[in-house]
Coordinates of all heavy atoms in Angstrom, one line a residue:
A126 N -40.2 2.6 -14.0 CA -39.0 2.9 -13.3 C -39.2 3.2 -11.9 O -38.4 2.8 -11.0 CB -38.3 4.1 -14.0
V127 N -40.3 3.9 -11.5 CA -40.6 4.2 -10.1 C -40.8 2.9 -9.4 O -40.4 2.7 -8.2 CB -41.8 5.1 -10.1 CG1 -42.1 5.4 -8.6 CG2 -41.5 6.4 -10.8
V128 N -41.6 2.0 -10.0 CA -41.9 0.7 -9.3 C -40.7 -0.1 -9.1 O -40.5 -0.7 -8.0 CB -42.9 -0.1 -10.2 CG1 -43.2 -1.5 -9.6 CG2 -44.2 0.7 -10.3
I129 N -39.8 -0.2 -10.1 CA -38.5 -0.9 -10.0 C -37.7 -0.4 -8.9 O -37.2 -1.1 -8.0 CB -37.8 -0.9 -11.3 CG1 -38.5 -1.7 -12.4 CG2 -36.3 -1.4 -11.1 CD1 -37.9 -1.6 -13.8
A130 N -37.6 1.0 -8.8 CA -36.8 1.6 -7.7 C -37.4 1.3 -6.3 O -36.6 1.0 -5.4 CB -36.7 3.1 -7.9
A131 N -38.7 1.3 -6.2 CA -39.3 1.0 -5.0 C -39.1 -0.4 -4.5 O -38.8 -0.6 -3.3 CB -40.8 1.3 -5.0
V132 N -39.2 -1.3 -5.4 CA -39.0 -2.7 -5.1 C -37.5 -3.0 -4.6 O -37.3 -3.6 -3.6 CB -39.4 -3.7 -6.2 CG1 -39.0 -5.1 -6.0 CG2 -40.9 -3.6 -6.5
L133 N -36.6 -2.5 -5.4 CA -35.2 -2.8 -5.2 C -34.8 -2.1 -3.9 O -33.9 -2.6 -3.1 CB -34.3 -2.3 -6.3 CG -34.5 -3.1 -7.6 CD1 -33.6 -2.6 -8.7 CD2 -34.3 -4.6 -7.4
T134 N -35.3 -0.9 -3.6 CA -34.9 -0.2 -2.4 C -35.4 -1.0 -1.1 O -34.8 -1.0 -0.1 CB -35.5 1.2 -2.4 OG1 -35.0 1.9 -3.5 CG2 -35.2 2.0 -1.1
A135 N -36.6 -1.6 -1.2 CA -37.2 -2.2 -0.1 C -36.6 -3.6 0.3 O -36.7 -4.0 1.4 CB -38.7 -2.4 -0.3
L136 N -35.9 -4.2 -0.6 CA -35.4 -5.5 -0.4 C -34.1 -5.5 0.3 O -33.2 -4.7 0.1 CB -35.3 -6.3 -1.7 CG -36.6 -6.7 -2.4 CD1 -36.3 -7.2 -3.8 CD2 -37.4 -7.7 -1.6
P137 N -33.8 -6.5 1.1 CA -32.4 -6.7 1.7 C -31.5 -7.1 0.5 O -31.9 -7.4 -0.6 CB -32.6 -7.9 2.6 CG -34.1 -8.0 2.9 CD -34.8 -7.5 1.7
R138 N -30.2 -7.1 0.9 CA -29.2 -7.2 -0.2 C -29.3 -8.4 -1.0 O -29.4 -8.3 -2.2 CB -27.8 -7.1 0.5 CG -26.7 -7.3 -0.6 CD -25.3 -7.3 0.1 NE -24.3 -7.6 -0.9 CZ -23.9 -8.9 -1.2 NH1 -24.5 -9.9 -0.6 NH2 -23.0 -9.1 -2.1
R139 N -29.2 -9.6 -0.4 CA -29.2 -10.8 -1.2 C -30.5 -11.0 -2.0 O -30.4 -11.3 -3.2 CB -28.9 -12.0 -0.3 CG -27.5 -12.1 0.2 CD -27.3 -13.4 1.0 NE -25.9 -13.4 1.5 CZ -24.8 -13.8 0.8 NH1 -25.0 -14.2 -0.5 NH2 -23.6 -13.8 1.3

Side-chain angles (χ1 to χ4, degrees):
V127 179
V128 176
I129 290 172
V132 171
L133 295 181
T134 300
L136 290 173
R138 176 183 172 273
R139 288 186 181 277

